[in-house]
Amino acid sequence: MEKAELCALFHDMYKYLSVDQVNYYVNLYNLDEKYLNNPNLAHSKLAAVAMRRDYGIEDEDMLNAVAYHTTGRACMSVLEKIIALSDFIEPNRSFPEVYRTRELAEEDLDRACLYMYEKTIEFLNYRIANGEDITIDNDTIEAKEYLWKTLNMQK
């Protein structure tokens, strides 16, 4: 529980920076150029770097939970799933899919995460189809596929 609390405090610490500020930190921290001009994806990676660099946190599970809370990834730990899902369903959110995701979160963490990534990919595909210049991060696709395979193997 303590790890989840710390991750919750750190996960959005870079979220509200301007694009110029995000780009500055992406360059400073030598992150992949795909994060340039992309605060939505960059903020999680920046927060994880700051956790290690500025706060001395070395716990890989915590660092991954923060770094991947926006995209997910294959083989996520329970902590990673909790942080990603908590961010998606937090109380201030009110988009249609959040209600079903909250219901699923009460029943099954993996099913809730799968639903979350399916709906995220649908939403991003909708935005792409409407002319927005965005891409779907491959980690999100891999997270969805991994969860789908895992859940279907359990049947």
Side-chain angles (χ1 to χ4, degrees):
M1 196 161 36
E2 290 174 5
K3 287 183 180 186
E5 287 178 12
L6 274 174
C7 290
L9 290 172
F10 279 104
H11 82 285
D12 277 348
M13 67 188 284
Y14 283 83
K15 185 172 182 154
Y16 300 103
L17 298 180
S18 70
V19 172
D20 289 340
Q21 290 170 313
V22 166
N23 289 346
Y24 169 80
Y25 285 111
V26 166
N27 288 320
L28 179 68
Y29 295 160
N30 295 311
L31 297 182
D32 190 298
E33 65 182 33
K34 74 179 182 177
Y35 299 113
L36 290 171
N37 302 311
N38 196 341
N40 287 335
L41 291 184
H43 81 274
S44 60
K45 306 304 184 204
L46 295 172
V49 171
M51 286 172 69
R52 183 187 303 271
R53 192 189 86 160
D54 301 335
Y55 295 91
I57 296 172
E58 297 291 335
D59 185 300
E60 290 298 321
D61 195 23
M62 290 174 63
L63 295 169
N64 286 335
V66 170
Y68 293 98
H69 85 271
T70 55
T71 61
R73 68 182 185 129
C75 303
M76 293 170 69
S77 71
V78 170
L79 179 62
E80 289 176 84
K81 292 172 191 173
I82 289 169
I83 298 302
L85 190 59
S86 296
D87 189 53
F88 190 80
I89 65 173
E90 60 105 345
N92 292 325
R93 304 212 193 260
S94 61
F95 52 92
E97 294 80 6
V98 78
Y99 304 106
R100 177 67 181 138
T101 311
R102 287 178 182 142
E103 290 172 3
L104 289 169
E106 294 287 331
E107 301 165 13
D108 186 305
L109 185 61
D110 286 340
R111 284 182 54 220
C113 286
L114 174 59
Y115 183 79
M116 170 180 68
Y117 293 126
E118 288 173 340
K119 295 306 172 183
T120 297
I121 291 168
E122 284 176 22
F123 176 69
L124 293 172
N125 278 325
Y126 171 81
R127 290 177 58 191
I128 291 166
N130 283 289
E132 290 191 52
D133 185 24
I134 58 172
T135 58
I136 301 171
D137 193 284
N138 200 48
D139 285 331
T140 305
I141 295 166
E142 290 176 5
K144 182 196 83 147
E145 290 173 355
Y146 181 84
L147 288 162
W148 189 86
K149 286 178 189 172
T150 301
L151 288 166
N152 282 306
M153 289 174 61
Q154 294 173 0
K155 291 181 179 179

